[in-house]
Amino acid sequence: MADQGEQSDTTHFGYKQVPTDEKASHVREVFTSVADKYDVMNDLMSLGIHRIWKRYTIELSGVKRGQRVLDLAGGTGDLASRFARMVGPEGEVVLADINAAMLRNGRERMIDKGIVGNIDYAQVNAECLPFPDNYFDCITIAFGLRNVTDKQKALGSMQRVLKPGGRLLVLEFSKPVTPGLKPIYDLYSFSLLPLMGKIIANDSESYRYLAESIRMHPDQQTLQGMMEEAGLERCDYHNLSGGIVALHRGFKL
């Protein structure tokens, strides 16, 4: 598949096949459409549980005062705002996203919270990060990797800019492992989720894509293998909410 490093003329966009070089623009359109309702929909879709998943990510980040943190696909800044407080004025947090509308919303939220001085903003493609080698102590990407066209290339790019001793945390929807959960989750994803998108964001198709993109994302073991292939070590993962979400972790040694 194209998103695992092989050359191909097409790749998946949800369940559809699109030209590989057009996927990023399709993803950009989805998130431009949902940007203004992103936080409201996150709370509704997960019944607020996404905050617990993100809190767990922060706990496992090991971020300390004075460190540099890159929050990729950072959206409206849920993780970046916490990291900015953790690293203090002598540290640095980069809130990065490929989508200008999401990044703009994130920046406005940070300013509203009074978070300035130690946070920067960058519109970037995760596959080709414009940062020096061995630069960040910690990199996070929450619910963003599944939208990347070439996931293997992106993981390699993250490994490159990570300092020796640093860690990468990938929080992403995954494959349910609790018996009996999958049919309930499928019903919710393909019936209720697009309906909520239509009612709240006036956009059912974008949320149908989100449900499909989750199903096309590598499962826990596959993603762990991809992180190892990218040069990360001591890779592991923690299933959350019965495997609906998994937090993957890898270190650059």
Side-chain angles (χ1 to χ4, degrees), residues 5-39:
E6 297 178 9
Q7 296 299 314
S8 175
D9 293 332
T10 63
T11 189
H12 61 80
F13 175 72
Y15 288 163
K16 301 175 184 176
Q17 286 290 312
V18 299
T20 300
D21 59 0
E22 293 180 10
K23 178 172 178 175
S25 64
H26 286 295
V27 170
R28 194 175 298 117
E29 288 171 7
V30 167
F31 284 92
T32 297
S33 174
V34 305
D36 291 338
K37 298 291 186 180
Y38 187 76
D39 291 324

Side-chain angles (χ1 to χ4, degrees), residues 49-214:
I49 298 173
H50 76 99
R51 299 178 185 276
I52 298 174
W53 299 333
K54 290 171 181 173
R55 190 177 307 130
Y56 186 63
T57 303
I58 290 163
E59 289 173 359
L60 264 63
S61 70
V63 167
K64 297 180 175 60
R65 199 168 185 85
Q67 291 189 329
R68 290 193 185 114
V69 180
L70 173 62
D71 182 23
L72 280 171
T76 52
D78 285 350
L79 294 179
S81 61
R82 294 288 300 274
F83 288 137
R85 294 187 176 98
M86 292 167 71
V87 302
E90 61 269 43
E92 177 189 7
V93 175
V94 178
L95 172 57
D97 205 292
I98 196 172
N99 184 274
M102 294 293 292
L103 198 59
R104 182 172 60 252
N105 281 8
R107 184 169 188 165
E108 289 172 357
R109 280 191 63 184
M110 297 302 101
I111 293 171
D112 288 345
K113 291 180 178 181
I115 301 173
V116 295
N118 68 346
I119 187 162
D120 295 310
Y121 304 89
Q123 187 174 356
V124 304
N125 185 332
E127 296 175 22
C128 45
L129 295 172
F131 305 109
D133 294 357
N134 307 316
Y135 189 77
F136 292 101
D137 297 282
C138 180
I139 300 174
T140 56
I141 179 166
F143 306 114
L145 185 62
R146 73 181 186 281
N147 298 307
V148 174
T149 303
D150 191 331
K151 297 175 180 63
Q152 193 64 62
K153 186 176 180 182
L155 290 168
S157 187
M158 295 176 213
Q159 192 270 354
R160 177 185 64 79
V161 302
L162 201 60
K163 285 183 180 179
R167 68 187 71 188
L168 168 65
L169 296 169
V170 180
L171 180 66
E172 189 54 89
F173 291 107
S174 200
K175 301 298 185 282
V177 295
T178 299
L181 180 58
K182 185 179 183 301
I184 299 170
Y185 183 48
D186 285 346
L187 178 64
Y188 166 79
S189 298
F190 292 105
S191 298
L192 293 180
L193 185 56
L195 180 61
M196 284 193 290
K198 182 175 178 60
I199 294 170
I200 304 299
N202 195 31
D203 185 353
S204 61
E205 285 306 306
S206 289
Y207 286 93
R208 189 176 303 281
Y209 158 72
L210 293 178
E212 292 176 356
S213 70
I214 291 167

